[in-house]
Amino acid sequence: MKRWNKIMSSMLAASVAAMALAGCGSSSGSSTADTSSAAAAATEAAAGTTEAASSDAAASGETFKIGVIGPLTGSAAQYGTGVANAAQIAVDEVNANGGINGYQVELQAEDDALDNQQSVNCYNTLKDWGMQFLLGSVTSACSIAVSEETHNDNMFQLTPSGSAVDCVKYDNAFRVCFSDPNQGTKSAQYIGEHKLATNVAIIYDSSDVYSSGITNTFVTEAANQGLNIVSQTAFTADSKTDFSSQVQQAKDAGADLVFLPIYYTEAALILQQANAIDYHPTFFGCDGLDGILGVENFDTSLAEGVMLLTPFAADATDELTQNFVKAYKAAYNDTPNQFAADAYDGIYAIKAAAEKANLTPDMSVSDICDAMETAMTEISISGLTGDPITWTADGEPEKEPKAVIIKDGAYVSAD
Amino acid sequence: MKKKTLSKSTWTYIVVILVWAVVMILQQAGALSSHLQGLLVPATYYAIVAVGLNICVGILGELSLGHAGFMCVGAFSSSLFSIAMQNTLPVGIRFPLAMLIGIAVAALFGFLIGIPVLRLNGDYLAIVTLAFGEIIKNILNALYLGVDSKGLHASFTSQMDLGLEADGTMLINGPMGISGTPRDANFTIAIVILLIALFVAQNLVNSRDGRAIMSIRDNRIAAESVGINITHYKMLGFVVSAAIAGAAGVLFSHSISTLQAGSQYFGYNVSILILVYVVLGGIGNISGSVLAAAVLYLLPELLRALSSYRMLIYSIVLIAVMLFNWAPAARNWRTKVAARLTKTFGRKERA
């Protein structure tokens, strides 16, 4: 009897599992990003033509489908949601203005929770949905993992913020942001050319691809610029609350500039701890420092004089940035960061290239990718993170870095 | 005529093969979404590592919180081998060799850890394996390994300190890990490995060695008094368990091209996740581990349609399964329902 029980239960369990497998085989993910309605409402206010345009698309039934992959939950959720939100704003604008080549654009965002395997799962989900262009993944490691898949499928991939070198090693992959080596080199050049310091200390996160990537090239270029690196100290993701020993080392070594190729959460702590031991060098960072003024319970007067090399500052006065920040604030009640700006430019880059190549939604993914590969190198867009931005065939963007200095609690252009 | 009833372990193989056949048919028919196809290999390697951990927790009765660490060493060692041999050996030879290397390295680490710890009595294995997993992860995160015409270079500080020639290639790039592992694993291979793991585990349970191991779990003093070598049998169980985890690691690294020793892949949270599979599948119940791992791995992915709510629902399901398995009221209800079912079906069977 007992054995019969067990057999029955294992058979039942197996059939349930099989049903679950079969059931999801036929149904493809039909969820849309939960943020879309808010954004749609916002743009409708901005442009009254939305309704007319979208009903056209419904009639023709053909749309371009763009997928977004990024960490929408977890420790890096800010980056992923920034990208998903900004991409939605850009897509709504594009749709309101007649879409790409007259076709409306659909967007779907998937959450990879900063995990390579999940990122690939997201990619497969989006492929089932019928994605033709991929805007993602947001983070470097995930982007590299996904690029193996897009390379196999010959799917066009544009990562907004995957900065590691390997993100664009395939012909079908492009990026919007600067690569890590690029940022390190440009930072060293900027410091050298503007004679900001001679003795430099570096505090970086050795467990982070972004941070160690920048550090490596900064060190190489610093030698050419005549900079003297007096202290190079690391921390890891598991020990990023107490920086007193790193700061003390920089102080003892007599550094007059501390280079921080890290994210703003840790940088805020470093600034506080440097202040506590009465150490006031120039702090210089990369785009990861963007957002330091928004850290909760952080005395922003400590960030006074901090310089950062970033392609985007939300307080910039040009019309494009101001409109974008206004739309973003209206839709999500938040200030967009650099990731959001990269995603916004990414959507417009896809639009420009798709128009250049005269794409239509009925083309195969592979044909679209081939056409996009050529078209990307021929376009030039004026975006939030650079004006103009052009792309080289190896997937790298060409744009001028902007240095920003924090003055009176706001980002001001340093030039 | 009385039919000979098949044993439970035979049923496990049959069910696994059936699931494989169904999946293969669906795949051929094009009814399987690419999302689901991507989930098949991960679900299988988590099932394998759950089988491995069940040997340690269920049969040996020792708690291990570092099975992700064994996966990690298996994954890194086999990946290094595959990259080195990528252009010299064909897949048919390379992958089985990589598999053997991954298993051997994981077993070696299991053995080294076992030497001091398995002599002790109590929860020390949990403490040491927890530390082992974290140490392995941190070492691999700090390790830079490159190769050029002059040979192998290693450094624990930075890529710059390697002093690599211009033509050199990075093998392990610190926190960026290994990239470019050939993707040799597929669902069929994963299922074969799962069947082998099940075969090893279930035969171990029914063997002389297995009975010795279980006697240690049930009563150490009694086992010692009948002349069973405690350390030897504990070591046997633990090394087999670690080796199976290593096999899962090999599948892990050969199913995705980038491999990093991050907390989200090999941290203690993952070890505990595997333990959750084992506990919910039933401690000591090998086939239960496979089912629990497969279902619990697929669940959060299949709940993607619920977007932000999926992790909330996932945790509620975990609690529900826990209650269903272990709460006294639920167990009583289950026995009642089972009894009623046997009554109806059992009578028909006899007729």
Side-chain angles (χ1 to χ4, degrees), chain A residues 238, chain B residues 64-73 76 109-110 113 124-141 238 260-272 274:
Chain A
D238 298 327
Chain B
S64 163
L65 296 176
H67 263 55
F70 294 120
M71 267 180 87
C72 187
V73 290
F76 271 82
F109 274 94
I113 288 173
Y124 296 104
L125 187 68
I127 301 167
V128 172
T129 47
L130 180 64
F132 163 73
E134 292 301 296
I135 291 169
I136 282 293
K137 198 188 78 192
N138 280 328
I139 288 179
L140 285 172
N141 263 330
F238 186 65
Q260 295 156 314
S263 318
Q264 67 267 52
Y265 317 108
F266 301 117
Y268 64 90
N269 273 330
V270 178
S271 293
I272 287 172
I274 301 165

Side-chain angles (χ1 to χ4, degrees), chain A residues 111 114 116 128 148-149 206, chain B residues 34 175 183 257 264-265 304:
Chain A
D111 175 24
L114 206 62
N116 298 350
D128 293 335
E148 295 289 336
E149 307 292 323
S206 66
Chain B
S34 27
R183 301 184 55 193
S257 58
Q264 67 267 52
Y265 317 108
R304 268 191 188 280

Side-chain angles (χ1 to χ4, degrees), chain A residues 13-366:
Chain A
S15 60
V16 167
M19 261 151 56
L21 289 171
C24 39
S26 50
S27 75
S28 57
S30 59
S31 71
T32 45
D34 53 351
T35 49
S36 58
S37 55
T43 27
E44 231 161 318
T49 54
T50 317
E51 272 178 40
S54 58
S55 61
D56 274 1
S60 73
E62 296 238 340
T63 53
F64 280 113
K65 292 185 169 181
I66 302 180
V68 173
I69 302 174
L72 305 179
T73 59
S75 60
Q78 282 206 37
Y79 309 144
T81 44
V83 166
N85 292 347
Q88 188 64 50
I89 290 179
V91 163
D92 288 334
E93 283 177 15
V94 168
N95 281 342
N97 294 321
I100 298 176
N101 291 335
Y103 298 98
Q104 292 288 293
V105 182
E106 274 185 77
L107 188 79
Q108 179 160 324
E110 288 291 338
D111 175 24
D112 66 14
L114 206 62
D115 180 310
N116 298 350
Q117 182 66 52
Q118 285 203 45
S119 210
V120 173
N121 294 345
C122 292
Y123 170 72
N124 286 326
T125 312
L126 289 169
K127 216 167 77 181
D128 293 335
W129 172 66
M131 166 173 68
Q132 290 147 323
F133 309 93
L134 171 63
L135 185 71
S137 297
V138 170
T139 48
S140 291
C142 292
S143 195
I144 295 170
V146 168
S147 74
E148 295 289 336
E149 307 292 323
T150 57
H151 177 64
N152 280 344
D153 295 336
N154 204 21
M155 163 94 65
F156 177 73
Q157 179 181 13
L158 177 66
T159 170
S161 45
S163 52
V165 182
D166 280 349
C167 288
V168 295
K169 70 176 167 187
Y170 293 119
D171 289 341
N172 64 319
F174 290 79
R175 71 170 126 227
V176 181
C177 64
F178 283 121
S179 66
D180 292 337
N182 213 327
Q183 286 205 43
T185 314
K186 298 259 183 204
S187 298
Q189 281 170 356
Y190 190 90
I191 295 170
E193 281 164 13
H194 291 76
K195 308 235 178 311
L196 294 176
T198 46
N199 292 334
V200 178
I202 305 173
I203 302 176
Y204 72 106
D205 181 350
S206 66
S207 68
D208 186 59
V209 176
Y210 163 83
S211 192
S212 37
I214 294 178
T215 307
N216 284 345
T217 49
F218 182 86
V219 172
T220 318
E221 181 63 24
N224 301 336
Q225 296 291 337
L227 300 177
N228 194 9
I229 293 173
V230 291
S231 148
Q232 182 178 348
T233 47
F235 61 93
T236 67
D238 298 327
S239 59
K240 54 179 183 186
T241 45
D242 181 16
F243 299 100
S244 46
S245 71
Q246 286 96 330
V247 173
Q248 189 65 48
Q249 271 193 41
K251 188 183 181 187
D252 292 346
D256 41 14
L257 183 142
V258 177
F259 182 54
L260 303 175
I262 53 177
Y263 292 117
Y264 59 85
T265 327
E266 291 85 48
L269 290 169
I270 289 178
L271 290 181
Q272 278 169 356
Q273 286 166 10
N275 187 51
I277 60 165
D278 202 26
Y279 178 47
H280 302 285
T282 310
F283 287 100
F284 194 97
C286 294
D287 53 6
L289 286 201
D290 181 18
I292 195 164
L293 295 177
V295 176
E296 267 178 52
N297 299 325
F298 175 64
D299 180 5
T300 50
S301 69
L302 291 178
E304 208 60 18
V306 170
M307 300 185 81
L308 51 139
L309 209 64
T310 173
F312 173 75
D315 305 32
T317 48
D318 62 297
E319 200 184 338
L320 193 65
T321 309
Q322 285 194 333
N323 284 345
F324 169 66
V325 173
K326 211 170 99 191
Y328 195 96
K329 275 190 176 151
Y332 307 108
N333 198 19
D334 198 4
T335 310
N337 52 16
Q338 173 235 330
F339 291 81
D342 284 335
Y344 185 86
D345 285 353
I347 294 286
Y348 276 99
I350 290 176
K351 177 181 189 291
E355 282 173 353
K356 184 101 192 170
N358 256 327
L359 299 181
T360 51
D362 55 358
M363 290 166 74
S364 78
V365 165
S366 181

Side-chain angles (χ1 to χ4, degrees), chain B residues 3 21 24 29 41 70-71 96 109 148 156 159 180 188 203 233 280 302 309 317-318 331 343 347:
Chain B
K3 265 190 278 177
M24 277 310 176
V41 178
F70 294 120
M71 267 180 87
F109 274 94
D148 61 11
F156 277 107
Q159 195 183 337
T188 309
N203 279 287
Y233 283 107
L280 290 187
L302 299 182
Y309 295 103
V317 169
L318 276 192
R331 303 189 81 163
K343 243 184 183 172
R347 217 167 269 155

